[in-house]
Amino acid sequence: MGKVGRNAPCTCGSGKKYKHCCGSVAHVPLTAMQEAEQDALHQLLDKAYDYLESDRLEEALEACMQVLRMDALNPQALHWAGLIAYQRGEHGSAVELLQQAMQLAPGTAVCSNLGLALHAIGDLHGAIAMQVAALGYRPDHAASHNNLANALKELGDVDTAVTHYRKAIELAPDLEPAVQNLKAVFDQVRLLKPQLEAAAIKVDFDRNAFWVNGIPVEGVSPSSPHFFSALATTMVERAVCWLERGEWSRAEELCQTLRSVISNQADALYLLGAIAKSRGRHALSAELMQKACGFDSALPEKYDRLDLPEGGDSMGSADIVEIVSATRMSEDDFWANSALGQSLRSLGGDRRIVVSVAFDNRRGLPDIYNARIEQKGEDRILVFMHDDVWIDDLFFADRLVSALGHFDVVGVAGNSVRLARQAGWGFLDAHLTPSSRGDLRGGISHGPDKFGKPDVFGESPAPCELLDGVILVVRKSQMQTLNVRFDPLFKFHFYDIDFCRSARQAGLRLGTWPLYLTHQSKGAFRSDSWKDTYAAYLEKWGG
């Protein structure tokens, strides 16, 4: 939701000032007001926008409420109050306020903003309708093209989304969100190159070519308007073939891969639901199949021939997977609002997954992690991970079992070499000089929401010397036998690369694995505590 001063040129491109165009209040029924009251109303609106410009939301809201006490049907005050509610995360209230404003004074800005609020509450069809309405008023409104593309992408229509991203950039080349969104769509395909090639599917962006089984697909390339539809069809056909041959794990991997490119691809969701049913995960199966049929009601008839027998998949491992994390949030806030908490609630009741979270935490991570390593009882897979991580992988536990069949310590991003004075898995020194790109391995997505923008560092799976601590996966028994622990000296910084060095010293194999995760942040560096911990790290390891 962009903001613009009332005296600045309107962003819709009309050439008028904002207050005389999309921000006009000329239509407000002011005939009964005295001249002084009119001036007061306009002054309050100007004040509200000044507060909005400086992110003083409480004061902006109060100014809007003063306007509404003078004129309960003032569309601009309702619009801005809705904008403030959206920015504060009160999306239901935002929808109500913006709907009132739109009914009183429909136009590009209010329709586009209402579309964003509807998107935030999960009403994708409503969001699309509002962005289309916004473009009906102003077809060259770049932000609405970008907003429409975001909703279409989430709905599963990536080809049309790409068309609107490109239109937004054509209209406003400096519209950075559209530029980054378009790049992220294709970066996701680049990230999944190994999984695609394992299915004999190859996408070459440099040569603008698309191959299946080594044969170019006629009329289809990454620049084609129907590229993503063709890619999805090919992947689904391959997955179905594998399911019919009993290669369920390969089919699951490919459907997960497709879902990371097109999160709501109906066929992939339905097939994953069938696989979940075969593994006895009925809640997840019902959820996925119901969601898939919401996009395409013909799916059950289309795939009834598969008839996967329940319990026939050898990947249904009995390993207990314990998610270990720490959060400053309360228990209620963690489950309701954190990326990890929401992800764990949506994993469909996988009984193998148990959770150990330190709520309202102020202790160092090693204290929490070591306590779980030292716990007595049955062996477990321990997954040490941050609380601001979305798990985009529906078969997370199965993926971890596979990963630990190849490596002893597993992460998603790492470095294949270790050098003196490294200040992190991806840095060479205290100046945060990036490591050579050729030494990096793995990848992870970043962003506030699920299926964020992918960052591809290198191949995966791949052996490493150092791993990023956003997630570290180990077997409890192995850590106990070899006495490998996290050093309490490194409470929040350097705990991960210190642990990796201890693990390597004990002869353990480290490696990245292609897990589908989205990290909400990229970390904080160069603080005083970071510098002090770096000095302690160098002192411990001698560089």
Side-chain angles (χ1 to χ4, degrees), residues 378-394:
E378 62 185 342
D379 190 19
R380 291 182 172 185
I381 294 173
L382 299 178
V383 184
F384 304 111
M385 62 191 305
H386 295 182
D387 67 341
D388 60 345
V389 176
W390 291 102
I391 301 174
D392 299 328
D393 200 318
L394 292 171

Side-chain angles (χ1 to χ4, degrees), residues 392-465:
D392 299 328
D393 200 318
L394 292 171
F395 297 99
F396 189 55
D398 298 324
R399 192 90 60 201
L400 300 179
V401 172
S402 295
L404 288 175
H406 293 77
F407 301 110
D408 303 309
V409 182
V410 172
V412 290
N415 202 316
S416 61
V417 300
R418 181 176 56 77
L419 304 171
R421 308 190 68 80
Q422 275 175 293
W425 69 271
F427 302 118
L428 295 178
D429 51 41
H431 301 293
L432 303 185
T433 305
S435 294
S436 169
R437 195 72 180 181
D439 294 335
L440 300 183
R441 300 290 183 266
I444 188 172
S445 295
H446 287 97
D449 302 312
K450 294 182 286 186
F451 298 104
K453 179 181 179 295
D455 283 328
V456 183
F457 307 116
E459 63 182 298
S460 186
C464 291
E465 290 294 320

Side-chain angles (χ1 to χ4, degrees), residues 125-191:
H125 293 287
I128 289 169
M130 281 297 99
Q131 299 302 344
V132 169
L135 291 169
Y137 290 106
R138 199 74 195 178
D140 59 353
H141 193 246
S144 293
H145 281 287
N146 179 62
N147 297 338
L148 175 57
N150 287 338
L152 287 166
K153 175 179 176 290
E154 189 167 337
L155 196 62
D157 189 353
V158 179
D159 285 326
T160 308
V162 167
T163 298
H164 284 281
Y165 284 137
R166 286 173 171 157
K167 184 64 176 178
I169 296 167
E170 175 190 329
L171 292 167
D174 59 346
L175 187 62
E176 190 61 23
V179 173
Q180 292 302 317
N181 289 336
L182 179 61
K183 181 177 183 295
V185 170
F186 289 100
D187 277 351
Q188 190 65 53
V189 179
R190 292 184 176 92
L191 175 65

Side-chain angles (χ1 to χ4, degrees), residues 25-35 37-39 41-42 45 67 70-71 74-75:
V25 294
H27 51 273
V28 178
L30 299 175
T31 54
M33 290 186 179
Q34 300 297 321
E35 189 68 31
E37 292 176 319
Q38 296 182 39
D39 291 342
L41 185 143
H42 282 282
L45 287 171
V67 172
M70 296 171 63
D71 175 14
N74 185 283

Side-chain angles (χ1 to χ4, degrees), residues 69-85:
R69 283 192 285 270
M70 296 171 63
D71 175 14
L73 297 178
N74 185 283
Q76 189 62 77
L78 288 166
H79 186 172
W80 286 343
L83 170 64
I84 293 165

Side-chain angles (χ1 to χ4, degrees), residues 459-474:
E459 63 182 298
S460 186
C464 291
E465 290 294 320
L466 301 173
L467 294 169
D468 183 4
V470 65
I471 181 171
L472 294 170
V473 186
V474 301

Side-chain angles (χ1 to χ4, degrees), residues 63 93 146 190-191 225 238 243 270 278 285 370 400 442 452 458 487 504:
S93 296
N146 179 62
R190 292 184 176 92
L191 175 65
R238 187 58 46 87
L243 284 172
Y270 193 87
S278 75
S285 174
N370 288 339
L400 300 179
D487 190 335
R504 289 294 293 135

